[in-house]
mmCIF file of all heavy atoms in Angstrom:
data_model
loop_
_atom_site.group_PDB
_atom_site.id
_atom_site.type_symbol
_atom_site.label_atom_id
_atom_site.label_comp_id
_atom_site.label_asym_id
_atom_site.label_seq_id
_atom_site.Cartn_x
_atom_site.Cartn_y
_atom_site.Cartn_z
ATOM 1 N N LEU A 1 94.643 -46.819 -78.651
ATOM 2 C CA LEU A 1 95.558 -46.122 -79.534
ATOM 3 C C LEU A 1 96.301 -45.073 -78.734
ATOM 4 O O LEU A 1 95.785 -44.559 -77.744
ATOM 5 C CB LEU A 1 94.833 -45.438 -80.694
ATOM 6 C CG LEU A 1 94.307 -46.299 -81.832
ATOM 7 C CD1 LEU A 1 93.469 -45.434 -82.777
ATOM 8 C CD2 LEU A 1 95.447 -46.952 -82.595
ATOM 9 N N ARG A 2 97.491 -44.739 -79.188
ATOM 10 C CA ARG A 2 98.268 -43.675 -78.578
ATOM 11 C C ARG A 2 98.660 -42.677 -79.651
ATOM 12 O O ARG A 2 99.406 -43.015 -80.576
ATOM 13 C CB ARG A 2 99.522 -44.219 -77.902
ATOM 14 C CG ARG A 2 100.267 -43.186 -77.057
ATOM 15 C CD ARG A 2 101.630 -43.694 -76.668
ATOM 16 N NE ARG A 2 102.258 -42.889 -75.635
ATOM 17 C CZ ARG A 2 103.572 -42.739 -75.497
ATOM 18 N NH1 ARG A 2 104.400 -43.356 -76.326
ATOM 19 N NH2 ARG A 2 104.063 -41.990 -74.516
ATOM 20 N N LEU A 3 98.158 -41.461 -79.529
ATOM 21 C CA LEU A 3 98.468 -40.400 -80.467
ATOM 22 C C LEU A 3 99.666 -39.596 -79.981
ATOM 23 O O LEU A 3 99.830 -39.382 -78.780
ATOM 24 C CB LEU A 3 97.277 -39.462 -80.645
ATOM 25 C CG LEU A 3 95.942 -40.099 -81.036
ATOM 26 C CD1 LEU A 3 94.891 -39.015 -81.245
ATOM 27 C CD2 LEU A 3 96.086 -40.959 -82.275
ATOM 28 N N SER A 4 100.482 -39.142 -80.925
ATOM 29 C CA SER A 4 101.636 -38.317 -80.616
ATOM 30 C C SER A 4 101.557 -37.018 -81.385
ATOM 31 O O SER A 4 101.054 -36.977 -82.512
ATOM 32 C CB SER A 4 102.938 -39.039 -80.970
ATOM 33 O OG SER A 4 103.091 -40.223 -80.226
ATOM 34 N N CYS A 5 102.078 -35.966 -80.791
ATOM 35 C CA CYS A 5 102.124 -34.645 -81.418
ATOM 36 C C CYS A 5 103.481 -34.037 -81.117
ATOM 37 O O CYS A 5 103.759 -33.670 -79.972
ATOM 38 C CB CYS A 5 100.991 -33.769 -80.890
ATOM 39 S SG CYS A 5 101.043 -32.058 -81.465
ATOM 40 N N ALA A 6 104.310 -33.911 -82.130
ATOM 41 C CA ALA A 6 105.666 -33.401 -81.971
ATOM 42 C C ALA A 6 105.776 -32.000 -82.553
ATOM 43 O O ALA A 6 105.400 -31.769 -83.704
ATOM 44 C CB ALA A 6 106.666 -34.334 -82.640
ATOM 45 N N ALA A 7 106.316 -31.086 -81.768
ATOM 46 C CA ALA A 7 106.519 -29.709 -82.199
ATOM 47 C C ALA A 7 107.965 -29.504 -82.613
ATOM 48 O O ALA A 7 108.891 -29.972 -81.944
ATOM 49 C CB ALA A 7 106.146 -28.740 -81.085
ATOM 50 N N SER A 8 108.168 -28.780 -83.699
ATOM 51 C CA SER A 8 109.512 -28.503 -84.176
ATOM 52 C C SER A 8 109.522 -27.192 -84.940
ATOM 53 O O SER A 8 108.476 -26.652 -85.285
ATOM 54 C CB SER A 8 110.030 -29.627 -85.066
ATOM 55 O OG SER A 8 109.238 -29.749 -86.234
ATOM 56 N N GLY A 9 110.727 -26.689 -85.225
ATOM 57 C CA GLY A 9 110.864 -25.476 -86.003
ATOM 58 C C GLY A 9 111.690 -24.426 -85.284
ATOM 59 O O GLY A 9 112.801 -24.698 -84.844
ATOM 60 N N SER A 10 111.137 -23.245 -85.162
ATOM 61 C CA SER A 10 111.824 -22.134 -84.530
ATOM 62 C C SER A 10 112.009 -22.379 -83.042
ATOM 63 O O SER A 10 111.399 -23.283 -82.464
ATOM 64 C CB SER A 10 111.050 -20.833 -84.759
ATOM 65 O OG SER A 10 110.860 -20.572 -86.133
ATOM 66 N N ILE A 11 112.857 -21.571 -82.437
ATOM 67 C CA ILE A 11 113.040 -21.654 -80.991
ATOM 68 C C ILE A 11 111.760 -21.183 -80.316
ATOM 69 O O ILE A 11 111.254 -20.100 -80.609
ATOM 70 C CB ILE A 11 114.234 -20.807 -80.547
ATOM 71 C CG1 ILE A 11 115.517 -21.331 -81.196
ATOM 72 C CG2 ILE A 11 114.369 -20.816 -79.031
ATOM 73 C CD1 ILE A 11 116.732 -20.472 -80.913
ATOM 74 N N PHE A 12 111.249 -21.992 -79.411
ATOM 75 C CA PHE A 12 109.955 -21.704 -78.827
ATOM 76 C C PHE A 12 109.824 -22.338 -77.452
ATOM 77 O O PHE A 12 110.608 -23.200 -77.066
ATOM 78 C CB PHE A 12 108.828 -22.223 -79.730
ATOM 79 C CG PHE A 12 108.907 -23.702 -79.974
ATOM 80 C CD1 PHE A 12 108.280 -24.591 -79.124
ATOM 81 C CD2 PHE A 12 109.608 -24.202 -81.056
ATOM 82 C CE1 PHE A 12 108.355 -25.961 -79.338
ATOM 83 C CE2 PHE A 12 109.689 -25.566 -81.284
ATOM 84 C CZ PHE A 12 109.064 -26.448 -80.422
ATOM 85 N N ILE A 13 108.797 -21.893 -76.748
ATOM 86 C CA ILE A 13 108.385 -22.494 -75.486
ATOM 87 C C ILE A 13 106.914 -22.845 -75.605
ATOM 88 O O ILE A 13 106.111 -22.026 -76.051
ATOM 89 C CB ILE A 13 108.615 -21.537 -74.301
ATOM 90 C CG1 ILE A 13 110.106 -21.255 -74.133
ATOM 91 C CG2 ILE A 13 108.024 -22.107 -73.016
ATOM 92 C CD1 ILE A 13 110.396 -20.184 -73.099
ATOM 93 N N ILE A 14 106.569 -24.048 -75.208
ATOM 94 C CA ILE A 14 105.186 -24.489 -75.250
ATOM 95 C C ILE A 14 104.524 -24.168 -73.915
ATOM 96 O O ILE A 14 104.927 -24.675 -72.877
ATOM 97 C CB ILE A 14 105.079 -25.983 -75.541
ATOM 98 C CG1 ILE A 14 105.691 -26.298 -76.908
ATOM 99 C CG2 ILE A 14 103.622 -26.437 -75.489
ATOM 100 C CD1 ILE A 14 105.726 -27.769 -77.235
ATOM 101 N N ASN A 15 103.516 -23.329 -73.961
ATOM 102 C CA ASN A 15 102.781 -22.984 -72.753
ATOM 103 C C ASN A 15 101.766 -24.062 -72.384
ATOM 104 O O ASN A 15 101.618 -24.414 -71.214
ATOM 105 C CB ASN A 15 102.070 -21.642 -72.923
ATOM 106 C CG ASN A 15 103.027 -20.490 -73.106
ATOM 107 O OD1 ASN A 15 104.078 -20.426 -72.466
ATOM 108 N ND2 ASN A 15 102.672 -19.567 -73.997
ATOM 109 N N SER A 16 101.075 -24.565 -73.383
ATOM 110 C CA SER A 16 100.081 -25.604 -73.152
ATOM 111 C C SER A 16 99.846 -26.357 -74.447
ATOM 112 O O SER A 16 100.106 -25.846 -75.534
ATOM 113 C CB SER A 16 98.763 -25.013 -72.636
ATOM 114 O OG SER A 16 98.187 -24.150 -73.597
ATOM 115 N N MET A 17 99.345 -27.569 -74.313
ATOM 116 C CA MET A 17 98.997 -28.369 -75.475
ATOM 117 C C MET A 17 97.638 -28.997 -75.245
ATOM 118 O O MET A 17 97.222 -29.197 -74.101
ATOM 119 C CB MET A 17 100.047 -29.443 -75.747
ATOM 120 C CG MET A 17 101.426 -28.877 -76.021
ATOM 121 S SD MET A 17 102.631 -30.100 -76.606
ATOM 122 C CE MET A 17 102.118 -30.252 -78.330
ATOM 123 N N ALA A 18 96.968 -29.293 -76.332
ATOM 124 C CA ALA A 18 95.624 -29.830 -76.244
ATOM 125 C C ALA A 18 95.341 -30.739 -77.427
ATOM 126 O O ALA A 18 95.991 -30.655 -78.474
ATOM 127 C CB ALA A 18 94.590 -28.706 -76.189
ATOM 128 N N TRP A 19 94.376 -31.601 -77.228
ATOM 129 C CA TRP A 19 93.846 -32.433 -78.297
ATOM 130 C C TRP A 19 92.383 -32.079 -78.531
ATOM 131 O O TRP A 19 91.605 -31.977 -77.576
ATOM 132 C CB TRP A 19 93.955 -33.919 -77.965
ATOM 133 C CG TRP A 19 95.351 -34.441 -78.015
ATOM 134 C CD1 TRP A 19 96.225 -34.581 -76.985
ATOM 135 C CD2 TRP A 19 96.033 -34.914 -79.181
ATOM 136 N NE1 TRP A 19 97.412 -35.098 -77.416
ATOM 137 C CE2 TRP A 19 97.330 -35.318 -78.772
ATOM 138 C CE3 TRP A 19 95.690 -35.040 -80.521
ATOM 139 C CZ2 TRP A 19 98.269 -35.831 -79.660
ATOM 140 C CZ3 TRP A 19 96.627 -35.548 -81.406
ATOM 141 C CH2 TRP A 19 97.896 -35.936 -80.975
ATOM 142 N N TYR A 20 92.043 -31.877 -79.780
ATOM 143 C CA TYR A 20 90.672 -31.677 -80.221
ATOM 144 C C TYR A 20 90.287 -32.817 -81.148
ATOM 145 O O TYR A 20 91.142 -33.543 -81.660
ATOM 146 C CB TYR A 20 90.522 -30.357 -80.977
ATOM 147 C CG TYR A 20 90.658 -29.100 -80.145
ATOM 148 C CD1 TYR A 20 91.896 -28.664 -79.694
ATOM 149 C CD2 TYR A 20 89.541 -28.327 -79.839
ATOM 150 C CE1 TYR A 20 92.023 -27.505 -78.950
ATOM 151 C CE2 TYR A 20 89.654 -27.162 -79.100
ATOM 152 C CZ TYR A 20 90.900 -26.755 -78.661
ATOM 153 O OH TYR A 20 91.010 -25.597 -77.929
ATOM 154 N N ARG A 21 88.993 -32.946 -81.381
ATOM 155 C CA ARG A 21 88.543 -33.901 -82.372
ATOM 156 C C ARG A 21 87.323 -33.354 -83.096
ATOM 157 O O ARG A 21 86.576 -32.540 -82.566
ATOM 158 C CB ARG A 21 88.217 -35.261 -81.746
ATOM 159 C CG ARG A 21 87.006 -35.281 -80.831
ATOM 160 C CD ARG A 21 86.865 -36.644 -80.176
ATOM 161 N NE ARG A 21 85.698 -36.729 -79.327
ATOM 162 C CZ ARG A 21 85.415 -37.762 -78.536
ATOM 163 N NH1 ARG A 21 86.231 -38.807 -78.492
ATOM 164 N NH2 ARG A 21 84.309 -37.750 -77.796
ATOM 165 N N GLN A 22 87.146 -33.825 -84.315
ATOM 166 C CA GLN A 22 86.011 -33.411 -85.119
ATOM 167 C C GLN A 22 85.494 -34.603 -85.908
ATOM 168 O O GLN A 22 86.216 -35.167 -86.730
ATOM 169 C CB GLN A 22 86.385 -32.269 -86.064
ATOM 170 C CG GLN A 22 85.210 -31.681 -86.810
ATOM 171 C CD GLN A 22 85.551 -30.365 -87.488
ATOM 172 O OE1 GLN A 22 86.713 -30.096 -87.794
ATOM 173 N NE2 GLN A 22 84.547 -29.541 -87.713
ATOM 174 N N ALA A 23 84.262 -34.964 -85.639
ATOM 175 C CA ALA A 23 83.597 -36.033 -86.362
ATOM 176 C C ALA A 23 82.820 -35.438 -87.530
ATOM 177 O O ALA A 23 82.452 -34.259 -87.507
ATOM 178 C CB ALA A 23 82.661 -36.802 -85.434
ATOM 179 N N PRO A 24 82.549 -36.237 -88.561
ATOM 180 C CA PRO A 24 81.790 -35.723 -89.707
ATOM 181 C C PRO A 24 80.452 -35.138 -89.287
ATOM 182 O O PRO A 24 79.700 -35.749 -88.531
ATOM 183 C CB PRO A 24 81.605 -36.965 -90.584
ATOM 184 C CG PRO A 24 82.758 -37.844 -90.232
ATOM 185 C CD PRO A 24 82.978 -37.625 -88.759
ATOM 186 N N GLY A 25 80.166 -33.935 -89.758
ATOM 187 C CA GLY A 25 78.913 -33.284 -89.455
ATOM 188 C C GLY A 25 78.823 -32.657 -88.081
ATOM 189 O O GLY A 25 77.767 -32.134 -87.721
ATOM 190 N N LYS A 26 79.904 -32.698 -87.314
ATOM 191 C CA LYS A 26 79.906 -32.138 -85.977
ATOM 192 C C LYS A 26 80.977 -31.059 -85.844
ATOM 193 O O LYS A 26 81.923 -31.000 -86.623
ATOM 194 C CB LYS A 26 80.147 -33.224 -84.934
ATOM 195 C CG LYS A 26 79.072 -34.302 -84.881
ATOM 196 C CD LYS A 26 79.357 -35.295 -83.777
ATOM 197 C CE LYS A 26 78.282 -36.354 -83.697
ATOM 198 N NZ LYS A 26 78.565 -37.339 -82.616
ATOM 199 N N GLN A 27 80.799 -30.211 -84.855
ATOM 200 C CA GLN A 27 81.785 -29.183 -84.580
ATOM 201 C C GLN A 27 82.991 -29.770 -83.857
ATOM 202 O O GLN A 27 82.904 -30.795 -83.189
ATOM 203 C CB GLN A 27 81.172 -28.059 -83.741
ATOM 204 C CG GLN A 27 80.108 -27.249 -84.460
ATOM 205 C CD GLN A 27 79.670 -26.039 -83.662
ATOM 206 O OE1 GLN A 27 79.954 -25.927 -82.467
ATOM 207 N NE2 GLN A 27 78.982 -25.124 -84.317
ATOM 208 N N ARG A 28 84.102 -29.095 -84.011
ATOM 209 C CA ARG A 28 85.309 -29.513 -83.317
ATOM 210 C C ARG A 28 85.130 -29.315 -81.811
ATOM 211 O O ARG A 28 84.614 -28.288 -81.368
ATOM 212 C CB ARG A 28 86.501 -28.711 -83.823
ATOM 213 C CG ARG A 28 87.847 -29.195 -83.309
ATOM 214 C CD ARG A 28 88.996 -28.485 -84.027
ATOM 215 N NE ARG A 28 88.983 -28.753 -85.456
ATOM 216 C CZ ARG A 28 89.911 -28.335 -86.309
ATOM 217 N NH1 ARG A 28 90.947 -27.633 -85.871
ATOM 218 N NH2 ARG A 28 89.818 -28.613 -87.595
ATOM 219 N N GLU A 29 85.556 -30.306 -81.030
ATOM 220 C CA GLU A 29 85.415 -30.232 -79.597
ATOM 221 C C GLU A 29 86.750 -30.490 -78.911
ATOM 222 O O GLU A 29 87.587 -31.249 -79.407
ATOM 223 C CB GLU A 29 84.358 -31.214 -79.083
ATOM 224 C CG GLU A 29 84.671 -32.674 -79.344
ATOM 225 C CD GLU A 29 83.577 -33.608 -78.861
ATOM 226 O OE1 GLU A 29 82.648 -33.151 -78.164
ATOM 227 O OE2 GLU A 29 83.650 -34.816 -79.181
ATOM 228 N N LEU A 30 86.913 -29.875 -77.771
ATOM 229 C CA LEU A 30 88.128 -30.042 -76.980
ATOM 230 C C LEU A 30 88.062 -31.356 -76.226
ATOM 231 O O LEU A 30 87.118 -31.598 -75.471
ATOM 232 C CB LEU A 30 88.286 -28.872 -76.014
ATOM 233 C CG LEU A 30 89.484 -28.899 -75.063
ATOM 234 C CD1 LEU A 30 90.794 -28.876 -75.839
ATOM 235 C CD2 LEU A 30 89.412 -27.721 -74.102
#
């Protein structure tokens, strides 16, 4: 699979981006 994440809205600069995930009953992990 290929996930996409598009940023929009106000004028901005992206310093960094990341993907996290959270499975049922587990904490969110980087």
Side-chain angles (χ1 to χ4, degrees):
L1 285 173
R2 189 192 193 209
L3 306 183
S4 298
C5 174
S8 63
S10 303
I11 298 175
F12 59 89
I13 296 173
I14 299 176
N15 296 321
S16 63
M17 300 189 78
W19 288 95
Y20 291 75
R21 68 185 182 187
Q22 187 167 24
K26 297 183 179 180
Q27 293 188 346
R28 188 171 299 184
E29 62 182 351
L30 178 62

